[in-house]
Amino acid sequence: MLDAIVLARAVPRWCAAMHAAAPELNALDGRLGDADLGATLDKCATLMEQALPELPDSLEGIFKRCAQASAKASGSSFGTLLTVALMTAGKHCAGRESLSTPDVAALLSEVIATLSARGGAALGDKTVLDGLDAIRRALSGAAADAPALALALAGAAVRESLDAFRDKPNRMGRARMFAEKTIGLDDPGMVALLRMVEAL
């Protein structure tokens, strides 16, 4: 069950994980893009940490406050998508005190649709959307009140998605310009998603 208390406790862990993963993500992104993914998420984490003392006491409020912090980090494409995802989550949670595991799957469906519309990526393009969709599918049939199992399923889903897409070309972002060279490489955004899930 995801409620405001659980989410507020998760934010510092997410931030610590992004600080730790920054060098790895910069290196991965350097093979396919601008080598700034880790730096972007590191800055997002720093700004979210600064917001911790003033986090609201609702799911909607926490998601929106984190989105506001993320929006200040940079103009990178992934940073923008993170901000949009958090804002979408906040709107989805309006008036709700908690989310069951199937509720989280429904939230992810909305986030995926919004990010696809905003960024132009589609499922199958080897982006973070594919990782999010893998989590959505894993959680949609999971028990409503087993958070530990849900997190285990989410982590396994992202790892399986990375394995499934590793030998496929990237079709979005700068990487699409030399798509054949991306075969055999993990998508940095999908790896970032895995590090986020592991932190929770």
Side-chain angles (χ1 to χ4, degrees):
M1 191 72 68
L2 177 65
D3 59 21
I5 294 174
V6 171
L7 182 58
R9 290 174 177 169
V11 174
R13 295 198 299 274
W14 184 94
C15 293
M18 293 304 95
H19 292 316
E24 173 195 18
L25 297 177
N26 280 339
L28 288 171
D29 194 36
R31 301 175 186 174
L32 303 175
D34 296 329
D36 64 349
L37 175 58
T40 294
L41 290 174
D42 185 60
K43 183 67 178 295
C44 288
T46 295
L47 291 169
M48 287 186 194
E49 286 171 332
Q50 293 172 1
L52 287 175
E54 56 189 56
L55 282 184
D57 59 0
S58 68
L59 284 173
E60 177 186 11
I62 294 171
F63 277 126
K64 288 187 174 181
R65 184 66 189 86
C66 288
Q68 291 166 356
S70 174
K72 297 177 183 178
S74 79
S76 78
S77 57
F78 198 94
T80 299
L81 292 178
L82 175 62
T83 300
V84 172
L86 291 168
M87 285 299 297
T88 302
K91 293 176 182 176
H92 183 89
C93 292
R96 306 188 66 164
E97 294 186 359
S98 64
L99 299 178
S100 68
T101 299
D103 291 334
V104 173
L107 165 60
L108 289 174
S109 291
E110 186 172 341
V111 167
I112 291 166
T114 302
L115 294 183
S116 179
R118 178 65 180 263
L123 294 179
D125 284 345
K126 193 177 176 180
T127 72
V128 68
L129 293 189
D130 294 299
L132 288 170
D133 187 59
I135 296 174
R136 179 197 63 76
R137 287 184 277 109
L139 298 187
S140 61
D145 56 353
L149 175 59
L151 285 174
L153 289 171
V158 180
R159 292 184 191 95
E160 289 171 5
S161 185
L162 278 165
D163 290 342
F165 279 91
R166 186 169 296 121
D167 291 329
K168 297 180 180 180
N170 282 81
R171 294 194 176 93
M172 279 300 296
R174 289 185 51 155
R176 74 182 186 280
M177 294 185 289
F178 42 96
E180 295 307 311
K181 294 183 179 180
T182 67
I183 294 174
L185 301 179
D186 286 328
D187 176 71
M190 293 172 71
V191 175
L193 177 62
L194 176 60
R195 300 294 174 250
M196 293 177 191
V197 173
E198 290 174 340
L200 303 179

